[in-house]
Amino acid sequence: MQALTFIKSNKREIIMRDSNRPSLEDVAALAGVSTASISRCINSPQKVAEPTRQRIQNAIETLGYVPHFGGRALARNRTNTIGAIIPTMDNAMFASGLQAFQETLSAAGVTLLVGSSNYDPDQEFDAIRSLLSQGADGLLLIGAARPEKTQAFLTQHAVPHVLAWCCPKTGHSPSVGFDNQKSGHDITAHVLAHGHRKLAVICGLREGNDRATARVVGIKQAIASQSDAQLLGLEECKYSFEEAGAAFAQLLTGPEKPSAVICGSDVLAVGALLQARKMGLRVPEDISITGFDDISLAQVTTPSLTTVRVPQHSMGRKAAEVLLALLNQEPGQNLRHELMTTIIDRGTLARI
């Protein structure tokens, strides 16, 4: 027996037979227009008068309606399509994991659609709605931090999804990732074990980015555990060579100079490395630099980067397996998988 949800409006009482999937008819009733007007507003909004379009949009947002295209797919409630929303396509930090994710889905006959949020929670929310409207059966999302509006939307629509690049200890979402805080602690302890005591950090923008935030927490914990160690400075910036270079230069303007700079990604570390070269500093003789991710770029710099290797391939493959198991409603599945990172010693970290 289907549950009935009643929504009061000032015009009429709307009845939704499936609270997880409000229908086109529900939206039309609440907006006081025909279903044809709703379809036209979704597909060709420029053809709908602004007051009507706004009324329809308000009804869509009130009900949480997501258009689901494809008659045959809707009839069987599966499209064999999965969406992935990654923070950026500007660099390779997600490339290997996404490739493994796609390969595993392809072997199961599932198509992957990819969107980017540009580290903007509103863009991520729009991308989630867009992928679901295109018929995505489930989603891969990066990280655990997102606004309540997005969390509520995923819950309301019972969207199958898996979180990657993180392994939160709280929450109910399936996850496949690693402990970013521990990894930040481990690379810092490794730097301290090489004799460094005056450290600095370049990290990504932390607002809305639980991975960058957790890594900094781990770095600070490791420094605090060494009584004679100091954090001389911390700079946040976007993941670009130019901004990382500017952050590196800023860290060296203080009265005391760090002997090592710990970077929250390989892109940031390469930007720091290039800036050190411009400033006439030798790496690692004058200053050491470490990265995070172990993307291909880390191996071809001169010198090559000491960094944290993230198990991207294993993470992408396992995330696909978990999401497929969710969609197939396979019982007894472990929905939380914590993978291990590894420190890779190369040429940018010296002993002092």
Side-chain angles (χ1 to χ4, degrees), residues 87 95 181 192 264 281 283 288 292:
Q181 182 174 324
L192 292 167
L281 297 173
V283 178
S288 291
F292 200 109

Side-chain angles (χ1 to χ4, degrees), residues 158-323:
V159 178
H161 63 281
V162 61
L163 310 179
W165 271 264
C166 66
C167 201
K169 294 177 173 57
T170 59
H172 303 291
S173 294
S175 63
V176 179
F178 57 94
D179 188 330
N180 283 274
Q181 182 174 324
K182 181 179 183 303
S183 297
H185 183 283
D186 289 349
I187 186 63
T188 307
H190 188 68
V191 171
L192 292 167
H194 279 64
H196 296 273
R197 292 297 180 267
K198 297 183 185 300
L199 309 181
V201 174
I202 302 175
C203 68
L205 301 177
R206 286 178 284 175
E207 184 177 359
N209 186 333
D210 54 303
R211 289 90 59 210
T213 299
R215 291 172 197 179
V216 170
V217 170
I219 290 168
K220 288 182 175 180
Q221 285 178 338
I223 293 173
S225 70
Q226 188 74 45
S227 61
D228 58 345
Q230 293 177 270
L231 177 60
L232 297 182
L234 185 151
E235 291 289 325
E236 291 188 21
C237 65
K238 294 181 179 178
Y239 292 106
S240 77
F241 297 152
E242 294 77 12
E243 293 215 14
F248 179 86
Q250 180 63 33
L251 288 171
L252 270 68
T253 60
E256 287 192 277
K257 304 295 187 289
S259 66
V261 176
I262 299 170
C263 298
S265 81
D266 289 342
V267 170
L268 298 179
V270 170
L273 186 62
L274 295 173
Q275 182 63 30
R277 190 174 299 158
K278 288 180 184 178
M279 296 170 67
L281 297 173
R282 299 169 302 160
V283 178
E285 292 86 357
D286 298 324
I287 191 166
S288 291
I289 296 171
T290 65
F292 200 109
D293 290 320
D294 196 29
I295 60 176
S296 299
L297 184 62
Q299 302 178 44
V300 298
T301 58
T302 303
S304 55
L305 278 176
T306 293
T307 188
V308 176
R309 176 174 291 168
V310 172
Q312 284 204 41
H313 190 275
S314 299
M315 186 164 50
R317 175 181 53 79
K318 180 56 69 174
E321 291 174 355
V322 168
L323 195 45

Side-chain angles (χ1 to χ4, degrees), residues 100-211:
F101 184 74
Q102 188 275 330
E103 289 172 355
T104 306
L105 294 181
S106 181
V110 175
T111 300
L112 175 64
L113 300 175
V114 181
S116 174
S117 69
N118 195 31
Y119 290 96
D120 183 326
D122 290 330
Q123 286 189 36
E124 184 190 53
F125 182 74
D126 290 343
I128 288 171
R129 289 176 60 95
S130 176
L131 288 169
L132 292 176
S133 74
Q134 295 174 65
D137 297 320
L139 298 173
L140 171 73
L141 302 174
I142 306 300
R146 44 192 46 85
E148 178 57 36
K149 178 178 79 168
T150 307
Q151 298 281 15
F153 182 87
L154 294 170
T155 300
Q156 177 187 359
H157 293 281
V159 178
H161 63 281
V162 61
L163 310 179
W165 271 264
C166 66
C167 201
K169 294 177 173 57
T170 59
H172 303 291
S173 294
S175 63
V176 179
F178 57 94
D179 188 330
N180 283 274
Q181 182 174 324
K182 181 179 183 303
S183 297
H185 183 283
D186 289 349
I187 186 63
T188 307
H190 188 68
V191 171
L192 292 167
H194 279 64
H196 296 273
R197 292 297 180 267
K198 297 183 185 300
L199 309 181
V201 174
I202 302 175
C203 68
L205 301 177
R206 286 178 284 175
E207 184 177 359
N209 186 333
D210 54 303
R211 289 90 59 210

